[in-house]
Amino acid sequence: MSEQQRDVHRTGLIGELSAEFAGTMVLILFGCGVVAQVVAGGLGNHDSIAWAWGFGVTFGVYVAGRLSGAHINPAVTLSLAAFKGFPWAKVVPYTLAQTAGAFVAALLVRWNYTEVLAHADPGHTLKTQFVFSTLPGNGSLPVSEWGALRDQVIGTAILMLLLFAVTDLLNTPPGANLAAVVIGLIVVAIGMAWGTDAGYAINPARDFGPRLASFLTGYRGAWRDQYGNLYFWVPIVGPLVGGLLGAALYRILIGRFLPVPGPQEVGRTPSAET
């Protein structure tokens, strides 16, 4: 590889990482922002949380999609490397960029809601820690970390199965550049159906970045759950395992049965079906 080719490659990777940073930042600005508004500000409810997270995903995908493919989730990046040929060498850089974007966005939410959070929870306890990171049973229901781990594996498997389905050109992907909207709706649906046991993190960067930001800004118990157990690893391990499981299920149940694209017919406009 020539020096010029190395420069182009390096510049391309920087653009991809910048896009992943920005896309994940947008996701968390809407996601943590809406939870702060509901939990600390008393405006809205669970449905507004689910919808805002979904919109955050949609807008994040539109921001980052052209440059990086808009993974905005380490579980997505890992699954694409394992099953779709995404370069393994980019998995760690993408993950770091996604986590950094989530971290910066959470700091902005923390700063903007400083007064509201202090009024709602002067001691910065688990009561408002939930604004930034997840807890088993959302901090109040009798769910252990192992129950939450199970939930995260299942929830992320659902996410990845559906992501692979709606982005597979050999299947029936959304047209008219609507894939981002459909992906956002997937997250809304998961939030409405799978949010009880662990707050549907389904994204290691989404949980770890804001958790670190909250810890550095006064939430000293950020790494533990309401039982005093170390919990931060659950929304990391669960989604990574679940993402691989969901991708494998798509490959086994659907992907291997789809028709292989043949040579393009002369004079025919290329389409998803061909």
Side-chain angles (χ1 to χ4, degrees):
M1 181 183 292
S2 68
E3 187 63 32
Q4 183 179 9
Q5 289 174 318
R6 281 195 291 270
D7 288 343
V8 170
H9 174 75
R10 196 158 42 238
T11 303
L13 179 59
I14 291 172
E16 292 172 28
L17 299 182
S18 180
E20 286 298 304
F21 175 92
T24 312
M25 183 172 67
V26 167
L27 164 62
I28 299 303
L29 286 174
F30 282 95
C32 287
V34 72
V35 182
Q37 181 167 276
V38 172
V39 172
L43 299 175
N45 53 33
H46 174 268
D47 285 354
S48 59
I49 290 175
W51 280 106
W53 274 110
F55 285 136
V57 169
T58 293
F59 300 146
V61 171
Y62 277 129
V63 165
R66 181 64 180 270
L67 285 177
S68 69
H71 302 181
I72 61 176
N73 182 342
V76 173
T77 302
L78 178 64
S79 297
L80 289 174
F83 291 93
K84 290 289 188 176
F86 183 76
W88 281 101
K90 292 184 179 181
V91 171
V92 171
Y94 264 53
T95 297
L96 293 175
Q98 293 153 1
T99 304
F103 174 76
V104 170
L107 286 179
L108 288 171
V109 172
R110 177 72 173 88
W111 182 34
N112 187 62
Y113 281 97
T114 297
E115 299 85 358
V116 175
L117 290 167
H119 178 266
D121 182 21
H124 299 310
T125 67
L126 288 177
K127 178 181 178 182
T128 54
Q129 169 63 38
F130 183 60
V131 167
F132 302 98
S133 54
T134 58
L135 291 165
N138 293 325
S140 59
L141 296 172
V143 178
S144 69
E145 61 265 30
W146 298 109
L149 180 66
R150 173 197 64 218
D151 172 88
Q152 286 299 284
V153 170
I154 297 173
T156 315
I158 295 170
L159 171 68
M160 204 62 56
L161 172 68
L162 296 175
L163 280 180
F164 271 45
V166 302
T167 58
D168 190 344
L169 291 180
L170 297 179
N171 203 331
T172 51
N177 200 27
L178 289 176
V181 175
V182 175
I183 291 169
L185 290 174
I186 291 170
V187 174
V188 173
I190 291 173
M192 289 182 170
W194 291 86
T196 298
D197 281 3
Y200 71 106
I202 57 176
N203 181 338
R206 168 266 174 274
D207 195 88
F208 183 79
R211 192 181 295 272
L212 177 61
S214 65
F215 174 75
L216 295 176
T217 57
Y219 287 87
R220 309 315 295 177
W223 307 112
R224 298 183 180 273
D225 59 21
Q226 63 268 33
Y227 311 114
N229 300 319
L230 281 175
Y231 182 75
F232 74 93
W233 61 273
V234 172
I236 296 174
V237 174
L240 293 176
V241 173
L244 292 172
L245 176 61
L249 286 173
Y250 182 79
R251 171 70 63 83
I252 293 169
L253 298 176
I254 303 296
R256 66 193 180 105
F257 298 112
L258 292 172
V260 177
Q264 183 68 40
E265 295 181 27
V266 177
R268 184 174 178 183
T269 301
S271 68
E273 287 74 19
T274 59

